[in-house]
């Protein structure tokens, strides 16, 4: 099967090297050569420090990676548990990420706001001195409408604080209305 398969991996999540744009692939020599030709001009010249960091991660950091993954799993469990306390939110436990993608469509329908608008409202309009950054599901395509994406890459206290803020912010209907008047593109039709 190796002649027909390709495994592609990144260091972004497993080794906390997001943004470094380094990874590797495992396949047959024939496929590896084709990939090399295909990406030579677009992905060549990875900085040496990045290459060395990736090599060190593979050679020495399995224990650290596993510990970090356990920490993120606990954060995911915390975020899911907190979100399940919010009226109008349905959320499944993700299997392999430190993001949570709750269904907030009942809230969106009630407030007449698109989920990306809800995300922007949480960041910009729900409070004059505090905001929560998340992404509206539409950022991931039409099927994402009615969902939000939250990251767990924050301390536990901030995760709890963010969900409490979210739960309260969606009850501030006067602020939602004002935000939609200023940003009509987020109105749910």
């Amino acid at each position: 099967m190796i002649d027909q398969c390709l495994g592609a991996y990144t260091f972004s999540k497993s080794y906390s090297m997001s943004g470094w744009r380094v990874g590797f692939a495992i396949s047959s020599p024939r496929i590896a050569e084709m990939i090399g030709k295909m990406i030579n001009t677009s992905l060549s010249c990875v900085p040496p420090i990045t290459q060395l960091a990736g090599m060190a991660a593979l050679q020495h950091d399995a224990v650290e990676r596993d510990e970090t993954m356990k920490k993120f799993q606990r954060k995911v469990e915390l975020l899911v548990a907190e979100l399940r306390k919010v009226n109008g939110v349905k959320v499944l436990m993700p299997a392999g990420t430190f993001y949570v993608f709750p269904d907030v469509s009942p809230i969106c329908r009630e407030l007449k706001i698109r989920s990306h608008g809800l995300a922007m409202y949480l960041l910009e309009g729900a409070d004059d001195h505090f905001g929560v950054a998340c992404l509206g599901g539409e950022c991931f395509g039409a099927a994402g409408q009615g969902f939000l994406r939250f990251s767990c890459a924050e301390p536990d206290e901030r995760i709890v604080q963010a969900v409490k803020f979210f739960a309260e912010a969606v009850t501030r209907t006067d602020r939602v209305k004002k935000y939609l008047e200023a940003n009509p593109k987020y109105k749910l039709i």
Side-chain angles (χ1 to χ4, degrees):
M1 283 304 292
I2 193 70
D3 291 333
Q4 301 171 33
C5 293
L6 168 71
Y9 305 91
T10 175
F11 291 82
S12 293
K13 305 297 186 272
S14 299
Y15 295 100
S16 298
M17 294 172 67
S18 298
W20 293 45
R21 303 295 184 248
V22 65
F24 62 97
I26 299 173
S27 191
S28 67
R30 181 181 61 82
I31 292 175
E33 185 178 329
M34 286 190 294
I35 292 170
K37 288 177 183 176
M38 183 174 67
I39 66 171
N40 183 43
T41 57
S42 62
L43 297 176
S44 63
C45 302
V46 174
I49 189 72
T50 303
Q51 293 178 48
L52 292 169
M55 185 172 71
L58 287 174
Q59 291 175 342
H60 307 291
D61 286 344
V63 172
E64 176 75 21
R65 178 205 58 215
D66 293 347
E67 290 293 319
T68 300
M69 291 306 192
K70 286 177 187 173
K71 289 176 188 173
F72 276 119
Q73 181 60 35
R74 287 190 294 275
K75 289 178 176 296
V76 167
E77 291 167 359
L78 172 65
L79 180 56
V80 167
E82 292 298 313
L83 284 168
R84 286 180 175 164
K85 297 175 186 176
V86 180
N87 288 332
V89 174
K90 295 179 214 150
V91 61
L92 299 174
M93 185 66 67
T97 182
F98 59 82
Y99 297 102
V100 176
F101 204 61
D103 178 354
V104 296
S105 55
I107 293 170
C108 291
R109 284 191 299 273
E110 183 179 323
L111 298 176
K112 297 177 177 53
I113 191 168
R114 296 167 43 96
S115 57
H116 186 62
L118 180 58
M120 297 306 296
Y121 162 74
L122 292 171
L123 183 62
E124 302 173 332
D127 190 270
D128 293 333
H129 305 289
F130 189 81
V132 168
C134 59
L135 285 176
E138 295 94 338
C139 294
F140 303 96
Q145 167 59 39
F147 290 81
L148 292 175
R149 186 183 81 162
F150 290 96
S151 170
C152 296
E154 287 291 330
D156 292 354
E157 314 80 58
R158 290 193 45 132
I159 291 171
V160 172
Q161 179 186 26
V163 175
K164 285 182 180 178
F165 176 78
F166 166 55
E168 185 179 324
V170 298
T171 68
R172 300 175 183 168
T173 54
D174 55 327
R175 288 190 77 108
V176 174
K177 183 178 177 185
K178 183 179 174 183
Y179 188 77
L180 285 173
E181 287 170 0
N183 299 280
K185 63 187 175 191
Y186 296 134
K187 285 185 180 177
L188 184 61
I189 300 171

